[in-house]
Amino acid sequence: NAGVMQNPRHLVRRRGQEARLRCSPMKGHSHVYWYRQLPEEGLKFMVYLQKENIIDESGMPKERFSAEFPKEGPSILRIQQVVRGDSAAYFCASSPPGLKETQYFGPGTRLLVL
Amino acid sequence: GEDVEQSLFLSVREGDSSVINCTYTDSSSTYLYWYKQEPGAGLQLLTYIFSNMDMKQDQRLTVLLNKKDKHLSLRIADTQTGDSAIYFCAAETGTASKLTFGTGTRLQVTL
């Protein structure tokens, strides 16, 4: 059983461009979480999704950031018009239905904004 | 909201025990976790404890929970160089099961 997969692993964007980060949860997992880790800091919760639903987006910046988890395909975290302060590692985690307490993390996408 | 705090750095000799401490503020946190992060890698779930437990042991790892003081610790017995990493404490908060992380404790194991 493959773990949580994220791609790309590294992403470089210039200011003003769009960044699209993908997360494929573990097989059978229907809950997806996105976290952001700034350099030398812990992870900060961004958003929690189930298939086709956003459950909790209390950690998402109000502008430029959006997330989706469609019925088919990976979860996408989209950052429009990136700024240097968006440079961070973005981690996705997934958990199975009925066992939300166990979150398994992907390897992360390291975004660098030039 | 929940606040989770950890000391930033711990250095131990190979073969000794390591104890990493964590405090949290939300007494309603149901689950508390320890994750390990190696350089450039994602987070590896080490263990977690339900809030009605005082202790959980898993091979070289022992988790102690003092719910009254909102204090969590991770003890690693017979620490090895491969244990060198950043260890994150996390608390589950709210109905959405989101995790609030501490800033991480960097464990350095010396020979």
Side-chain angles (χ1 to χ4, degrees):
Chain A
N1 187 9
V4 178
M5 299 177 70
Q6 291 187 247
N7 68 82
R9 294 291 307 276
H10 299 272
L11 182 61
V12 180
R13 285 287 178 266
R14 295 191 180 280
R15 281 179 296 169
Q17 292 183 319
E18 179 180 285
R20 291 171 71 90
L21 287 61
R22 294 175 186 76
C23 169
S24 296
M26 288 178 71
K27 188 175 180 181
H29 287 196
S30 55
H31 303 267
V32 166
Y33 307 78
W34 285 94
Y35 293 83
R36 176 165 63 176
Q37 184 180 31
L38 294 171
E40 305 300 321
E41 292 188 14
L43 280 73
K44 297 283 194 282
F45 169 80
M46 298 181 76
V47 62
Y48 163 41
L49 309 105
Q50 294 179 18
K51 287 280 188 183
E52 300 183 283
N53 282 306
I54 297 174
I55 308 301
D56 183 346
E57 56 181 347
S58 58
M60 287 278 271
K62 294 286 184 283
E63 297 176 349
R64 302 187 298 108
F65 285 72
S66 62
E68 62 175 5
F69 188 18
K71 188 176 179 182
E72 301 290 337
S75 175
I76 307 285
L77 179 68
R78 183 179 176 214
I79 311 172
Q80 295 177 289
Q81 299 174 329
V82 296
V83 301
R84 289 215 174 107
D86 296 332
S87 295
Y90 291 84
F91 290 96
C92 167
S94 72
S95 63
L99 283 172
K100 290 187 296 174
E101 68 274 5
T102 308
Q103 294 184 24
Y104 294 91
F105 281 77
T109 294
R110 280 149 182 87
L111 172 65
L112 175 62
V113 179
L114 300 176
Chain B
E2 174 82 274
D3 190 25
V4 178
E5 294 197 356
Q6 304 175 236
S7 54
L8 291 180
F9 186 76
L10 176 66
S11 180
V12 298
R13 288 186 183 278
E14 189 178 38
D16 289 350
S17 292
S18 307
V19 179
I20 303 171
N21 295 301
C22 170
T23 58
Y24 60 99
T25 56
D26 188 348
S27 56
S28 66
S29 292
T30 310
Y31 289 92
L32 298 133
Y33 303 81
W34 286 102
Y35 284 87
K36 176 183 179 183
Q37 185 181 37
E38 296 182 79
L43 274 72
Q44 175 192 352
L45 176 63
L46 290 177
T47 187
Y48 64 94
I49 188 168
F50 187 52
S51 58
N52 69 351
M53 298 170 65
D54 298 325
M55 186 181 86
K56 182 178 180 181
Q57 187 155 4
D58 182 3
Q59 299 182 334
R60 292 191 297 123
L61 304 179
T62 303
V63 179
L64 295 178
L65 174 60
N66 181 328
K67 196 173 178 183
K68 174 176 168 287
D69 294 338
K70 302 190 199 64
H71 182 268
L72 183 73
S73 68
L74 175 69
R75 178 176 179 268
I76 305 172
D78 188 25
T79 311
Q80 303 297 308
T81 54
D83 295 324
S84 293
I86 300 176
Y87 290 80
F88 289 97
C89 168
E92 181 203 25
T93 55
T95 56
S97 301
K98 62 188 180 188
L99 299 181
T100 299
F101 283 82
T103 51
T105 298
R106 185 179 296 273
L107 175 64
Q108 178 184 63
V109 182
T110 59
L111 297 173

